[in-house]
């Protein structure tokens, strides 16, 4: 190996010639060369022994594929603020690069009713202002119109106030993250994009963002919504009207709106009519708000003192009450009374706005909405934005973008509670005295409240892969469930596993097993299903104001026996409105085809046990938590520990490295100064997630175990 301690020009180490792609990208690129060269110059200038610390570091990497892989994964990219035009260009490029996932609209073109004058309403960085709307979803999964109209949806607002600059960057980076990780094969991200629609308005207040001011043409967008507002003083802005039109056409289960000027994560209520003795009253969905809010706050991580980054509570208590706020309107416009507190707006700006646009289908606007006040500064220093590697962990040193991007991911996940059934090794025909076992976990939920393993007669369903009823009509589903054979049931509620992008699954959320024997005399063809209920604690209340049962879509589709809701307006092109059609007890297929139970004679052999496929080795299972199959492929980064010789060699080299680092402080200075990406490597290794493969290594097959 070359002498890495001298201060002369850098040359690639010899190991670069034969190094695997991941190691090459981590140590042998021009960027890494420059970082190492700068580090060595500082090391040499200090007059200390040179080279040994870095030599030990380089020598250990070939024996630690997991570390090398993380070190050489996606380049750790610092986040940077984007201008109005820069944001527009970013999404145009993203749409071209990922046409199957990204769709964009201009609000003034998609909703001409918001600008009847059809004139340019403002100038943004030398061009006509346009309000950008983005949807991230797998378009191929939307080809079935009936299913597309029932797709769960969430909404993110980047900036109602244009001088609060972090939010637009967060939601912009969120869109790019979803697209890139989907293409790289991240199973969890693919589940989010395939089965949920994510709607983003990156610069909700386009004028304010372009001019770095709070208002839109001297009007405050977050006093412009029809909640306790004067009819002439609401829906004045293009910002408010664009959001209103989107909510008229969609049934958003969760909303997250970003602001700045203080630090707080808050929820309903945030209005003057829900204050009592200087404190906020309890909304009908207070438990859901609290549990979801705590979950997304946990995803945001902690500050340098190990405290939660966000103080958490109701808007009235931590921020202040307002009239005309997006938060109260987007939660209550579907169930609160009109014209007060839900105002019927009659503004005169921009050519006016029809008052029917603020009259809503009952129940249609009922989002669990959270307000994130991200920092005391409205435009924090660029150095506080952080970098892309921070998304993967919950380290104490986190930038604004990563922590809030993780909150968005958690809300997207929670839009669809579901059961993930682990791979099975069942034959298609089994004796009727068999014992059946299924491993599963909850996803898109906080608590798996109940789960049952059922056998449903094949003729009662159209097919076993979708579990659609063979006959429609009132009572058909209940009759099918009543006649189903219950094989096993979950003894008690358990935590859902949820996303493992930034941390391992929570304690107690590992796969649960449903195991049971079949009743005697059973034979024929059956569909195997899991019937599950989720988050039943959301129905708990103390003193709701108003005195109503939970009203939010996300709560009602979990709690009500059969919840049906339609949006106020139909979608463009089809004219059909988005709808929710959900049952409290949800069904999930276990097998795509029917299971045939064969009659058993009295002299039959003992009952066989049919269970999940063989699990992965413990080391691999702990190192790569995911929603994919628990067995199967072993990565190159996991198989190296199988050899005792390599185990001993790795241990020896690690000891040498530790001793060298302790005695040569210069080596530590080099590692921290010249290899700045190493902390993120160690962090990502600790949390047990291996970085997704890059394009160079996608074609390299991992060796067989």
């Amino acid at each position: 190996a070359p002498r890495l301690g001298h201060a002369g020009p850098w040359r690639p180490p010899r190991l670069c010639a034969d190094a695997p792609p991941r190691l090459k990208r981590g140590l042998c690129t021009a960027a890494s060369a420059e970082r190492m060269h700068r580090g060595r110059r500082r090391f040499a200038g200090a007059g200390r022994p040179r080279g040994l610390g870095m030599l030990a570091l380089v020598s250990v990497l070939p024996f630690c594929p997991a570390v090398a892989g993380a070190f050489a994964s996606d380049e750790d990219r610092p986040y940077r603020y984007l201008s109005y035009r820069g944001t527009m260009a970013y999404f145009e490029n993203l749409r071209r690069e990922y046409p199957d996932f990204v769709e964009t609209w201009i609000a003034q073109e998609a909703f001409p009713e918001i600008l009847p004058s059809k004139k340019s309403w403002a100038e943004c960085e030398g061009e006509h202002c346009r309000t950008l709307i983005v949807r991230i979803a797998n378009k191929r999964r939307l080809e079935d119109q009936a299913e597309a109209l029932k797709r769960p949806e969430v909404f993110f607002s980047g900036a109602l106030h244009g001088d609060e600059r972090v939010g637009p960057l967060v939601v912009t980076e969120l869109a790019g993250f979803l697209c890139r990780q989907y293409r790289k094969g991240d199973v969890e991200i693919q589940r989010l994009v395939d089965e949920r629609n994510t709607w983003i308005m990156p610069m909700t207040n386009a004028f304010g963002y372009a001019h770095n001011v709070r208002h839109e043409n001297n009007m405050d967008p977050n006093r412009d919504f029809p909640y306790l507002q004067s009819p002439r003083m609401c829906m004045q802005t293009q910002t408010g009207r664009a959001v209103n039109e989107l909510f008229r056409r969609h049934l958003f289960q969760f909303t997250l709106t970003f602001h700045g000027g203080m630090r707080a994560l808050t929820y309903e209520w945030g209005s003057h009519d829900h204050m009592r003795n200087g404190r906020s009253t309890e909304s009908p969905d207070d438990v859901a708000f609290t549990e979801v809010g705590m979950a997304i706050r946990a995803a945001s991580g902690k500050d340098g003192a190990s405290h939660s980054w966000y103080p958490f509570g109701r808007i009235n208590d931590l921020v202040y009450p307002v009239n005309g706020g997006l938060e109260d309107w987007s939660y209550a416009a579907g169930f609160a009374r009109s014209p007060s507190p839900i105002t019927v707006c009659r503004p005169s700006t921009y050519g006016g706005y029809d008052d029917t646009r603020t009259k809503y289908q009952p129940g249609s606007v009922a989002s669990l909405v959270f307000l994130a006040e991200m920092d005391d500064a409205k435009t924090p220093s660029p150095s506080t934005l952080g970098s892309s590697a921070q998304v993967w962990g919950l380290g104490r040193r986190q930038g604004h973008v990563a922590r809030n991007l993780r909150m968005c991911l958690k809300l997207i996940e929670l839009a669809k509670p579901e059961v993930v059934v682990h791979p099975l090794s069942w034959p298609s025909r089994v004796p009727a005295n068999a014992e059946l076992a299924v491993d599963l976990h909850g996803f898109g939920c906080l608590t798996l409240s109940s789960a049952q393993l059922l056998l449903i007669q094949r003729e009662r369903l159209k097919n076993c892969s979708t579990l659609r009823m063979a006959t429609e009509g009132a009572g058909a589903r209940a009759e099918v469930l009543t006649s189903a054979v219950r094989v096993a049931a979950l003894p008690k509620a358990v935590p859902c596993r949820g996303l493992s992008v930034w941390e391992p699954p929570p304690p107690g959320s590992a796969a649960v097993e449903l195991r049971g024997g079949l009743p005697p005399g059973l034979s024929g063809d059956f569909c195997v299903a899991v019937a599950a209920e989720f988050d039943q604690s959301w129905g708990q209340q103390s003193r709701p104001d108003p005195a109503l049962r939970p009203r939010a879509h996300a709560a009602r589709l979990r709690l009500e026996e059969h919840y049906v809701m339609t949006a106020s307006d139909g979608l463009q092109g089809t004219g059909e409105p988005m709808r929710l059609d959900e049952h409290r007890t949800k069904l999930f297929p276990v097998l795509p085809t029917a299971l045939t139970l064969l009659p058993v004679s009295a002299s039959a052999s003992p009952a066989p046990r049919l269970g999940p496929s063989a699990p992965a080795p413990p080391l691999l299972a702990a190192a790569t938590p995911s929603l994919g199959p628990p067995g199967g492929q072993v990565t190159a980064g996991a198989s190296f520990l199988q050899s005792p010789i390599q185990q001993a060699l790795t241990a020896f080299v690690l000891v040498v490295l530790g001793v060298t680092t302790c005695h040569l402080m210069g080596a530590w200075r080099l590692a921290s100064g010249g290899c700045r990406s190493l902390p993120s490597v160690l962090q990502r290794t600790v949390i047990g997630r291996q970085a997704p493969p890059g394009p160079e290594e996608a074609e390299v097959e991992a060796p067989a175990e």
Side-chain angles (χ1 to χ4, degrees):
R3 291 179 59 211
L4 298 182
H6 69 83
W10 183 86
R11 292 190 297 272
R14 293 177 192 170
L15 63 87
C16 290
D18 300 315
R22 280 190 169 185
L23 194 57
K24 278 187 178 181
R25 290 195 290 118
L27 296 176
C28 310
T29 62
S32 61
E34 178 60 22
R35 287 197 299 269
M36 290 184 183
H37 187 49
R38 288 197 303 266
R40 281 195 314 281
R41 283 186 297 187
R42 287 196 297 272
F43 188 67
R48 298 177 182 270
R50 299 188 294 268
L52 188 55
M54 180 54 72
L55 182 59
L57 175 62
V58 173
S59 65
V60 78
L61 283 173
F63 298 97
C64 299
V67 176
F71 186 90
S73 64
D74 285 340
E75 186 173 348
D76 187 9
R77 172 176 55 87
Y79 293 121
R80 303 186 187 281
Y81 287 115
L82 294 175
S83 65
Y84 167 86
R85 296 183 69 173
T87 303
M88 298 292 281
Y90 179 95
F91 279 102
E92 179 60 26
N93 292 333
L94 196 69
R95 185 181 63 82
R96 283 199 295 262
E97 186 174 358
Y98 300 96
D100 290 338
F101 306 143
V102 182
E103 195 156 4
T104 61
W105 295 266
I106 300 301
Q108 288 74 21
E109 299 170 2
F111 313 133
E113 53 266 59
I114 73 174
L115 190 62
S117 66
K118 302 185 184 304
K119 298 178 181 179
S120 175
W121 56 280
E123 184 177 286
C124 291
E125 296 184 5
E127 61 186 37
H128 297 318
C129 284
R130 298 176 295 164
T131 305
L132 179 65
I133 300 173
V134 181
R135 184 189 67 189
I136 306 296
N138 188 342
K139 294 181 184 178
R140 296 180 182 179
R141 295 294 187 96
L142 301 177
E143 293 174 355
D144 183 336
Q145 182 177 337
E147 291 301 313
L149 292 174
K150 295 188 291 184
R151 183 63 56 90
E153 300 191 306
V154 297
F155 174 69
F156 299 110
S157 167
L160 284 176
H161 293 147
D163 59 344
E164 298 163 5
R165 312 289 289 183
V166 179
L169 182 59
V170 170
V171 297
T172 297
E173 291 290 348
L174 169 68
F177 179 87
L178 291 171
C179 293
R180 289 189 296 270
Q181 295 308 123
Y182 188 104
R183 182 170 289 180
K184 290 179 180 180
D186 189 308
V187 179
E188 292 183 341
I189 300 303
Q190 289 176 344
R191 186 177 291 274
L192 300 188
V193 177
D194 283 345
E195 300 179 8
R196 297 149 175 86
N197 293 345
T198 299
W199 289 86
I200 297 170
M201 291 181 69
M203 302 171 291
T204 323
N205 178 358
F207 174 89
Y209 189 76
H211 294 270
N212 196 23
V213 296
R214 176 185 178 94
H215 298 124
E216 175 193 305
N217 287 330
N218 298 317
M219 297 174 287
D220 189 337
N222 208 31
R223 306 295 184 271
D224 196 38
F225 289 88
Y227 194 97
L228 287 180
Q229 191 57 277
S230 166
R232 293 289 181 184
M233 299 298 291
C234 57
M235 290 291 110
Q236 297 184 95
T237 64
Q238 291 294 292
T239 302
R241 294 179 191 181
V243 173
N244 184 62
E245 292 299 323
L246 207 56
F247 272 75
R248 290 189 63 84
R249 292 165 172 82
H250 298 275
L251 301 169
F252 295 119
Q253 294 187 37
F254 295 99
T255 294
L256 182 55
T257 174
F258 289 108
H259 284 261
M262 62 178 296
R263 192 198 300 183
L265 178 64
T266 54
Y267 58 94
E268 291 301 285
W269 291 104
S271 57
H272 290 283
D273 60 331
H274 292 288
M275 292 286 287
R276 301 288 186 275
N277 300 319
R279 301 288 295 177
S280 179
T281 59
E282 171 189 322
S283 77
D285 291 275
D286 195 70
V287 172
F289 273 123
T290 302
E291 292 190 4
V292 173
M294 294 292 285
I296 65 174
R297 183 173 77 153
S300 72
K302 300 182 182 297
D303 60 17
S306 296
H307 301 137
S308 294
W309 175 260
Y310 281 116
F312 180 64
R314 297 175 185 141
I315 299 172
N316 281 341
D317 298 335
L318 266 64
V319 189
Y320 47 81
V322 302
N323 293 336
L326 175 145
E327 297 80 17
D328 302 286
W329 165 81
S330 62
Y331 170 58
F335 65 85
R337 294 180 178 179
S338 180
S340 181
I342 305 303
T343 312
V344 177
C345 301
R346 299 180 180 89
S348 59
T349 54
Y350 305 124
Y353 189 53
D354 196 295
D355 63 1
T356 61
R357 308 311 293 167
T358 47
K359 298 176 182 178
Y360 306 98
Q361 169 81 7
S364 61
V365 181
S367 182
L368 284 176
V369 57
F370 294 89
L371 163 63
E373 295 276 2
M374 306 169 72
D375 191 87
D376 293 338
K378 293 189 175 185
T379 306
S381 166
S383 64
T384 67
L385 298 177
S387 64
S388 56
Q390 294 172 348
V391 174
W392 303 102
L394 292 175
R396 290 172 59 183
R397 296 189 179 276
Q398 290 278 308
H400 288 301
V401 176
R403 73 166 59 92
N404 289 285
L405 192 153
R406 290 194 299 267
M407 291 205 306
C408 295
L409 292 174
K410 190 64 181 178
L411 281 185
I412 299 171
E413 177 209 333
L414 292 174
K416 183 179 180 180
E418 55 187 317
V419 159
V420 178
V421 177
H422 295 201
L424 299 169
S425 57
W426 296 4
S428 60
R429 299 162 64 87
V430 301
N433 64 343
E435 184 180 66
L436 306 182
V438 172
D439 283 350
L440 55 87
H441 68 266
F443 187 82
C445 50
L446 301 177
T447 303
L448 179 58
S449 302
S450 67
Q452 299 181 60
L453 180 61
L454 303 179
L455 296 181
I456 303 174
Q457 290 178 322
R458 173 64 184 84
E459 60 269 18
R460 291 182 173 271
L461 301 173
K462 291 183 178 179
N463 57 67
C464 293
S465 60
T466 64
L467 301 179
R468 293 180 180 175
M469 303 297 142
T471 59
E472 303 293 340
R477 190 176 190 273
E479 183 181 346
V480 167
L481 292 178
T482 301
S483 64
V485 177
R486 192 179 85 159
V487 178
L490 192 67
K492 63 179 182 179
V494 297
C496 295
R497 176 179 295 186
L499 283 171
S500 61
V501 169
W502 54 86
E503 64 179 349
S509 65
V512 296
E513 182 187 63
L514 298 180
R515 177 184 291 274
L518 301 177
L522 198 63
S523 64
D525 293 340
F526 293 86
C527 293
V528 187
V530 171
E533 297 180 359
F534 306 90
D535 300 317
Q536 294 303 293
S537 61
W538 292 11
Q540 298 173 5
Q541 295 177 311
S542 179
R543 297 181 180 86
D545 175 28
L548 300 171
R549 298 299 301 160
R551 295 290 89 193
H553 298 312
R556 297 180 70 180
L557 63 84
R558 287 165 165 83
L559 300 174
E560 297 185 9
E561 183 63 36
H562 187 197
Y563 178 56
V564 178
M565 183 57 61
T566 57
S568 297
D569 292 343
L571 297 176
Q572 289 178 321
T574 66
E576 293 290 329
M578 294 293 292
R579 65 194 310 263
L580 293 171
D581 189 347
E582 293 282 344
H583 294 81
R584 180 178 67 235
T585 302
K586 306 180 190 305
L587 294 176
F588 303 93
V590 173
L591 296 174
T593 57
L595 181 70
T596 300
L597 301 184
L598 304 175
V600 179
S601 63
S603 60
S605 58
R609 292 186 176 183
L610 304 179
S613 303
L619 174 67
L620 181 60
T624 56
S626 75
L627 293 175
Q633 295 181 341
V634 178
T635 65
S639 61
F640 81 105
L641 288 177
Q642 304 301 320
S643 167
I645 296 177
Q646 288 177 320
Q647 286 180 340
L649 182 58
T650 300
F652 172 76
V653 175
L654 289 174
V655 169
V656 172
L657 176 60
V659 173
T660 302
T661 304
C662 291
H663 289 281
L664 298 177
M665 297 304 296
W668 171 250
R669 292 182 59 189
L670 176 59
S672 61
C675 300
R676 287 192 294 267
S677 59
L678 185 58
S680 65
V681 175
L682 298 178
Q683 181 187 67
R684 293 172 67 183
T685 304
V686 168
I687 65 171
R689 182 178 183 85
Q690 199 168 30
E696 292 182 78
E697 64 212 84
E699 299 178 0
V700 180
E701 293 184 0
E705 181 180 7

